Amino acid sequence: MMDQYELSFSTDFEQSLKQTIASWESIGIDADKIRSFVSDINAAVASLKQLPNRFAYVHGKYHIPIPTRQIMIGDHYAILYRVKKTIQIVEIGPIFNLKQMNLTF
């Protein structure tokens, strides 16, 4: 059995998720769609415990100096993350709407 990685959520992850949900609620997005979105995030992030290198590198695309990978959630949202192999931790960054990819993480 492969060792599991620990997930470490950035301080901005929860805030960005709450902001996205609040924004969706304010424009009347259906609660079932919001639950599905959160479920997709949970499933993708949980998979990183076993498969931390599952998603593609994007640090070159976004000019980030540190090796960074990206989880796509639907067509418009992404979560950036980094794998620290030596200590077996996956750092989960905030959720971004791809229209606002102003990166800090």
Side-chain angles (χ1 to χ4, degrees), residues 2-6 48-55 57 59 66-69 81-91:
M2 209 183 325
D3 289 338
Q4 282 201 8
Y5 277 65
E6 181 182 330
L48 299 176
K49 289 180 180 182
Q50 291 289 333
L51 302 167
N53 299 316
R54 177 177 176 202
F55 298 97
Y57 280 117
H59 53 283
I66 300 167
T68 303
R69 293 176 180 268
Y81 73 96
R82 297 183 181 136
V83 178
K84 296 195 171 197
K85 290 180 183 177
T86 56
I87 55 175
Q88 290 191 296
I89 290 179
V90 178
E91 293 181 323

Side-chain angles (χ1 to χ4, degrees), residues 37-56:
F37 176 73
V38 172
S39 178
D40 290 348
I41 291 170
N42 287 336
V45 169
S47 74
L48 299 176
K49 289 180 180 182
Q50 291 289 333
L51 302 167
N53 299 316
R54 177 177 176 202
F55 298 97

Side-chain angles (χ1 to χ4, degrees), residues 8 10 13 48 56-59 62 64 68-72 77-82 90-96 98 101-105:
S8 173
S10 72
F13 175 81
L48 299 176
Y57 280 117
V58 294
H59 53 283
Y62 297 122
I64 302 169
T68 303
R69 293 176 180 268
Q70 175 179 277
I71 302 169
M72 288 298 301
Y77 291 88
I79 300 169
L80 300 181
Y81 73 96
R82 297 183 181 136
V90 178
E91 293 181 323
I92 311 295
I95 299 167
F96 291 95
L98 292 178
M101 275 316 241
N102 185 2
L103 303 174
T104 58
F105 145 66

